[in-house]
Amino acid sequence: WNLDRRLNAVMSAAARSGESEDAYGSWAPAVDIFERGDDLVIRAELPGVSRDEIEINVENNTLTLRGERKQDVEVDEGNNYRSERTYGRFSRRFSLPTTVDTGRVVATHKDGVLEIVLPKVEQAKPKRVEIAAA
């Protein structure tokens, strides 16, 4: 099984069990999860959420992403023609494969996109074994 299949299996199992990743709040940011070189990368769309409103925790091979998108300006109901954006608290939880080195996780936030880089542990990286002459 490659990492992609394992991640899909974990996500599907959570959905089948009825476990809601966003039970903490009223909305959940969209994410992409992919491999880049020796890293697992999670990118979350967080437009309008400041860096100070985001919390990332890694514990027991689970990454938890929490935060809040606050409404900038109070709009009078009578002056509001349409309101499609969602505000409030959010939470997403992701089960991480044991191949992730949770001590070296790095996160950046730019242009409304949060990127979390999860490096693989050294022993999880493929290593070529040389064959010695007998």
Side-chain angles (χ1 to χ4, degrees):
W1 271 33
N2 64 25
L3 184 59
D4 185 47
R5 285 185 184 165
R6 285 186 282 167
L7 283 171
N8 285 335
V10 168
M11 298 299 187
S12 296
R16 283 192 306 272
S17 71
E19 181 180 306
S20 173
E21 291 178 340
D22 62 339
Y24 182 78
S26 60
W27 71 283
V31 299
D32 293 331
I33 302 173
F34 57 94
E35 283 187 299
R36 181 175 58 206
D38 290 330
D39 301 327
L40 177 64
V41 178
I42 298 175
R43 280 195 187 142
E45 288 184 353
L46 295 170
V49 180
S50 74
R51 186 176 61 130
D52 299 333
E53 299 293 332
I54 302 169
E55 178 185 334
I56 303 167
N57 291 309
V58 178
E59 185 177 357
N60 297 326
N61 285 3
T62 300
L63 182 136
T64 304
L65 172 61
R66 287 190 180 120
E68 183 174 6
R69 179 164 50 201
K70 296 179 179 177
Q71 194 167 8
D72 298 348
V73 180
E74 287 295 321
V75 178
D76 183 11
E77 282 289 321
N79 294 332
N80 189 7
Y81 296 105
R82 181 177 291 221
S83 181
E84 295 181 351
R85 295 178 35 181
T86 305
Y87 298 94
R89 297 174 3 156
F90 63 86
S91 179
R92 298 282 313 254
R93 259 176 285 176
F94 304 95
S95 295
L96 301 176
T98 56
T99 57
V100 168
D101 184 349
T102 58
R104 296 189 307 132
V105 175
V106 177
T108 57
H109 184 258
K110 182 180 178 187
D111 298 331
V113 177
L114 174 71
E115 181 173 282
I116 305 167
V117 178
L118 305 135
K120 294 178 188 173
V121 293
E122 287 297 320
Q123 61 265 31
K125 295 177 185 175
K127 186 185 285 186
R128 182 182 173 143
V129 176
E130 295 294 326
I131 303 171

